[in-house]
Amino acid sequence: MINLNPEYEISCQHFADLKEKYQAAKYEYSSPSSPLYFILRKADLGIELTDLESIYLQKEQLSTTFNIIQKEQQQRNKERISLGVEFTKLKSKYKVENYNISWITSDLYFILCKIDSGNFLTEKEFNWLLSHGWKATTSIAIETQKVTSLKSKYKATRYQDFHPDSPLYPILKKIDRSERLNETEYKWLIEKGLLETLEFVKQQEAEERNEFIQLKEKYQATKYKSEYLSSPLYAILQKLEAEETLMDTEINWLQEQELIETIAIAEEREQIKEFAAWKIKYKATEYEDISPKCHLYKVLKIIDSGNFLGEQDINFLKKRKFLETIKVAHDQYTKHLKSKIETDELLTNSEIQWLKNNGREDIIILVQERLFSILKSKYAVLDDKYKSPSSPLYSILQKLEQDERIEPQDVAWLQENELFYDKIRTKYHIIEADFYQQELKRTGNQWNLVNASSHLRKADKSKLALQLTNNLPLNKIEDNKLKSALLTTRGGAFRDFDKLDDAEICARQAMKYQPDSHHPYTLMGAICYQQGKYFEGDKWFSEAIKRGAKPLDMDSEIKSVLKKTNDQKQRQELVNYLLKKDSYRYAWAKDYLKKQKDKK
């Protein structure tokens, strides 16, 4: 009975084709229900045969068929292994981590193949990568697409590698940025046979050379003969063309090449931009002239630099009804002065006068308060009761800071308020010493030398006092009182440096010139005390008192000796000597010793 079922006919034909493919024509059964048809269909689909199926083929004496199927399966297994290895390499190459799903069932293999071949990913594929947290892979895919675009743009498609790490990618990027290739990059393109890419580079360089020539003419730099595109001048002129600001190093290079006209053009462009910005900032946009050579540019530059405008410039602005500009200028300058005050800078007299002229008493008060605070800090005035600039202390400190002499009543006020110490006292004596030295030069009067030396010693500048009184012209001086005074002050300076032998020579010479003066005797007493000869020192002090010295002056000299004594044992000996001699009069010695111990 003939079977007219079309599906059956198709199956029979398929069975016949498979028998021919696998060399099983001698198998006499042609029905699709045959076990052989089942086996051959599995083989054709690449499905591995079971042991029973293999035994069936052997039993039917279809060994040739069995061998063909076995070889096919072996080949497929090799392909599977090869694909697996390739998948592993692609995962490493494109930074895929922590993914252990088989390549057979995953979309990843296909996506990585697309990336590796330079194909563009779809939005869905990008999202699939991101959803698995592979940001690095996504970044590489994006860069790979850029490589593909650049390869197409610059005729480099014959080079197969699409990875961003390939040597081609940085070269193409340089070409795309119109940057010049180095010799190594040229050679690489030649070695890879990318001649079309090279041709594009040459055409690009020809265009750039033409641009370089035009820029040199435009910016008056034709005296620079080099036409190399690697020249710094080309990059500088490109910046000028793009209206970018040149760096100091670039300006310096132009100066070295004596391209003065180019520098002038660059500076004028900057000034024009600057001028436009200033006109907006300082409310002068109605002024049509854009040239930095006009007077308004100079006026706005003064304002912007934080300086005040002179009367001529103010009148210039008033004439053109730029009243807002004047107001902004005043505000700007006031702001500048405030910033100086806040950073503890002192204002000049002209700056303070400007504040007065413009009715800014509030700033003047702020200046005075800040200056008073700075001066008090500088001169170590710690008492909080001196806060107001109306205090006499403010004017005194101002004078000292400006190296001006203060009046005797100022000194008395400082002493009365227990402020004549340390830095104030030192500064006072330095100013006085300088005054008397100037007077000495002006008048030639040697008494000024005595006074200058005395003040230098009180300012702890005994070294300068010795230099000042060196090589005294005693033979040319007739006044014995002056000779004695000069020798006494010089001897005192020697004593300050513990050069006691030299100090004694000066003191004894001074006595010879003026036996009735108490000063050299006082000096001798101090020298003896400093040598530890206290009893002998008292004798000299006694002689000084006979000649008009005050006991308090002797006590001051003893205090200075005690203060200078660094040896603890010697200091204790002196204190003991004084207390034994008069414990009431010299009670201060015991207190001084206690203070020294407390400090330690």
Side-chain angles (χ1 to χ4, degrees), residues 320-521:
R320 286 152 185 81
K321 298 181 180 180
F322 289 144
L323 302 181
E324 280 193 82
T325 306
I326 296 172
K327 183 180 181 303
V328 173
H330 284 175
D331 291 344
Q332 179 90 351
Y333 188 57
T334 303
K335 185 179 178 181
H336 167 70
L337 295 181
K338 276 186 175 180
S339 69
K340 282 187 71 174
I341 296 165
E342 288 166 0
T343 54
D344 292 342
E345 285 187 63
L346 299 179
L347 299 192
T348 63
N349 290 333
S350 61
E351 289 170 335
I352 293 173
Q353 188 60 48
W354 184 89
L355 290 169
K356 289 179 180 177
N357 293 343
N358 287 275
R360 296 310 301 263
E361 294 297 329
D362 57 326
I363 308 296
I364 293 172
I365 292 170
L366 181 63
V367 170
Q368 291 173 340
E369 289 175 348
R370 185 58 65 95
L371 176 59
F372 195 18
S373 176
I374 293 169
L375 291 174
K376 285 192 293 181
S377 176
K378 181 174 181 178
Y379 290 97
V381 178
L382 305 177
D383 198 328
D384 286 338
K385 71 180 180 181
Y386 303 104
K387 291 182 178 180
S388 172
S390 62
S391 165
L393 179 61
Y394 177 55
S395 60
I396 291 171
L397 293 182
Q398 272 190 305
K399 287 181 181 179
L400 292 176
E401 185 62 19
Q402 294 168 8
D403 294 326
E404 294 180 13
R405 299 180 76 201
I406 59 175
E407 300 298 329
Q409 58 265 33
D410 292 329
V411 177
W413 186 88
L414 289 169
Q415 291 172 335
E416 182 183 340
N417 289 276
E418 298 182 348
L419 293 170
F420 195 64
Y421 59 86
D422 292 342
K423 293 184 178 181
I424 291 178
R425 182 184 62 208
T426 299
K427 182 71 173 183
Y428 163 75
H429 287 302
I430 288 173
I431 293 170
E432 289 297 304
D434 183 63
F435 168 77
Y436 285 113
Q437 287 181 74
Q438 297 303 320
E439 284 296 292
L440 175 63
K441 291 178 182 178
R442 186 177 67 84
T443 65
N445 188 334
Q446 295 292 322
W447 278 106
N448 289 310
L449 180 58
V450 175
N451 290 327
S453 174
S454 175
H455 282 293
L456 284 172
R457 288 187 59 214
K458 291 172 183 176
D460 295 326
K461 303 287 183 182
S462 298
K463 186 176 181 180
L464 291 177
L466 284 174
Q467 292 173 359
L468 195 63
T469 57
N470 197 23
N471 299 320
L472 291 172
L474 297 178
N475 294 334
K476 297 180 181 180
I477 299 173
E478 295 180 0
D479 187 353
N480 285 339
K481 183 178 180 182
L482 176 57
K483 290 180 182 178
S484 177
L486 286 169
L487 287 165
T488 302
T489 188
R490 182 167 174 80
F494 276 127
R495 183 174 79 82
D496 294 338
F497 277 103
D498 286 330
K499 293 184 176 181
L500 301 181
D501 292 341
D502 292 328
E504 185 174 343
I505 290 169
C506 290
R508 291 185 182 278
Q509 280 185 307
M511 290 177 193
K512 289 179 182 179
Y513 284 119
Q514 193 182 17
D516 295 335
S517 172
H518 63 80
H519 295 294
Y521 291 91

Side-chain angles (χ1 to χ4, degrees), residues 147 185 250 261 494 511 544:
V147 175
E185 291 164 336
E250 292 167 330
E261 296 85 355
F494 276 127
M511 290 177 193

